[in-house]
Amino acid sequence: MRKQVAIVGSGPSGLLLGQLLAGIGVETIILERSSREHVLGRVRAGVLEQGTVELLEEAGAAARLHAEGLPHSGISLAFDGRLHRIDLAALTGGKHVTVYGQTEVTHDLMDKREAAGLVTVYEAANVALHDFDGAAPFVTYDDKDGVSHRIDCDFIAGCDGYHGVSRKSVPERALKTFERQYPFGWLGVLAEVPPADHELVYANHERGFALCSMRSTHRSRYYVQCPQDDRVEAWSDDRFWDELRRRLPERTAASVTTGPSFEKSIAPLRSFVAEPMRFGRLFLVGDAAHIVPPTGAKGLNLAASDVRYLFAGLREFYVGKSQAGIEAYSQKALARVWKAVRFSWWMTTMLHRFPDTGDFGQRIQEAELDYLVHSQAASTALAENYVGLPY
């Protein structure tokens, strides 16, 4: 089989890239090691930058997003027992974010791909990338019946996440990695209850960080900071709701509607970047190249940002007959990646309690938060990063 672009991974970035390329007549195949049901069962991010929404519009996959997504023009920071609202729209000339679950984005893109008759291979085993440092790369895999296949292609897009085969296929000497592990995790629950606030609430409290988020007007997503080695089994629903309310201002805590959780998990927090993001005819996209703590709501948006740059480069190659765009992909993508890594690190250090914070560190956090909400310049810096920096 021959396709112009072989895409490894059927998460949002792989599907979005495939849809955009289909729009300019470029043939793709997507290889996914998991089943379709498993991919759709992943619970992930839910806050989309305006630029991500615009890219989904360009791919023709934003109809349900506009019908069901929740536009948010602000967020609130909770500390000293009060809520402090950051007016994102007023500070950024009308920009906003949209709450719409990553699972829903994936579903919409899958439906578009299937409706167009484009090829996705699920449960592809033993995926291997070959000769991407030359002019004739190819990918091999075994289907679920154990039959081996080879796909010759012009380019390979590695959209298969942190644990995928794409980055692991790059010789170690060609990669430089940067990593920061955070000494805590996030215990998160999903529950069919209305959210405590109409916008996201980020809380800094002496007992630890908390976040009130949502997936819809009737489905809430809540998090509390917990020890790195904590176990989900130690947290009953009652214990979680009690701890969440302790970390919120009284009025917000009173607005928390409790109910049985249908998903509960602990996520470790880390910052990770691999450089460069291009190796000959292999491109790393999204989590295959970088991970950010979820505090800044940047993970899915950074993946979409990578897709935007890669799609522009490939369009220039196929339509404009120029290699300039693909040559510049890694540099352009990483410039935006590092700004998002910085923002996510800053939000994390400002809002969480670290084991070595101490009295001095705590006073610094309090001063930072106080300055942030009382300085228009500081609030604007947060707002423009949160809604998404320019491309």
Side-chain angles (χ1 to χ4, degrees), residues 328-339:
Y329 167 71
S330 182
Q331 182 180 357
K332 284 185 175 180
L334 282 168
R336 202 167 189 276
V337 164
W338 274 111
K339 291 181 181 69

Side-chain angles (χ1 to χ4, degrees), residues 93-359:
K95 292 182 180 178
H96 63 272
V97 294
T98 301
V99 171
Y100 189 67
Q102 178 171 323
T103 303
E104 307 309 319
V105 172
T106 303
H107 211 307
D108 295 343
L109 288 165
M110 277 185 177
D111 289 348
K112 290 290 292 186
R113 188 168 183 84
E114 289 170 8
L118 304 174
V119 182
T120 302
V121 178
Y122 293 100
E123 299 178 64
N126 302 318
V127 174
L129 317 185
H130 307 270
D131 294 352
F132 51 80
D133 56 345
F138 65 97
V139 180
T140 57
Y141 71 95
D142 298 336
D143 64 25
K144 57 186 177 182
D145 296 320
V147 178
S148 297
H149 300 265
R150 169 175 168 148
I151 303 157
D152 292 285
C153 54
D154 299 327
F155 300 101
I156 303 169
C159 306
D160 51 346
Y162 180 81
H163 297 289
V165 70
S166 296
R167 192 183 69 256
K168 293 176 183 175
S169 299
V170 177
E172 199 171 312
R173 65 183 181 279
L175 269 176
K176 185 172 178 61
T177 60
F178 307 82
E179 188 164 15
R180 168 85 188 267
Q181 298 276 355
Y182 296 88
F184 41 73
W186 276 17
L187 171 66
V189 304
L190 268 172
E192 288 291 348
V193 294
D197 194 280
H198 69 289
E199 294 173 338
L200 272 68
V201 176
Y202 291 82
N204 176 303
H205 189 270
E206 62 183 13
R207 295 180 67 90
F209 168 80
L211 172 61
C212 302
S213 184
M214 66 210 68
R215 290 295 175 267
S216 67
T217 55
H218 57 82
R219 178 173 291 184
S220 296
R221 182 71 161 157
Y222 291 109
Y223 299 94
V224 295
Q225 176 184 345
C226 66
Q228 210 172 23
D229 57 354
D230 218 337
R231 296 170 63 249
V232 172
E233 295 76 19
W235 287 86
S236 65
D237 285 350
D238 286 344
R239 183 188 174 196
F240 177 86
W241 294 121
D242 288 346
E243 187 60 37
L244 175 69
R245 287 180 293 203
R246 285 192 188 102
R247 300 185 187 189
L248 299 173
E250 190 173 330
R251 187 171 174 181
T252 309
S255 299
V256 173
T257 302
T258 63
S261 65
F262 65 88
E263 196 275 340
K264 188 184 296 175
S265 58
I266 294 177
L269 270 65
R270 75 166 72 137
S271 299
F272 172 85
V273 181
E275 296 183 356
M277 290 172 58
R278 177 199 173 205
F279 305 88
R281 295 198 164 215
L282 166 65
F283 305 93
L284 300 183
V285 179
D287 287 0
H290 43 73
I291 301 283
V292 291
T295 325
K298 290 293 165 240
L300 173 56
N301 293 299
L302 266 189
S305 171
D306 294 346
V307 169
R308 180 187 290 268
Y309 290 126
L310 182 53
F311 171 61
L314 291 171
R315 179 175 54 195
E316 196 172 328
F317 177 86
Y318 286 111
V319 179
K321 308 303 179 186
S322 168
Q323 296 199 42
I326 58 175
E327 296 281 354
Y329 167 71
S330 182
Q331 182 180 357
K332 284 185 175 180
L334 282 168
R336 202 167 189 276
V337 164
W338 274 111
K339 291 181 181 69
V341 170
R342 182 210 68 84
F343 177 67
S344 300
W345 163 84
W346 173 72
M347 286 278 283
T348 302
T349 54
M350 178 176 63
L351 292 168
H352 291 74
R353 297 299 165 107
F354 286 73
D356 58 351
T357 294
D359 292 340

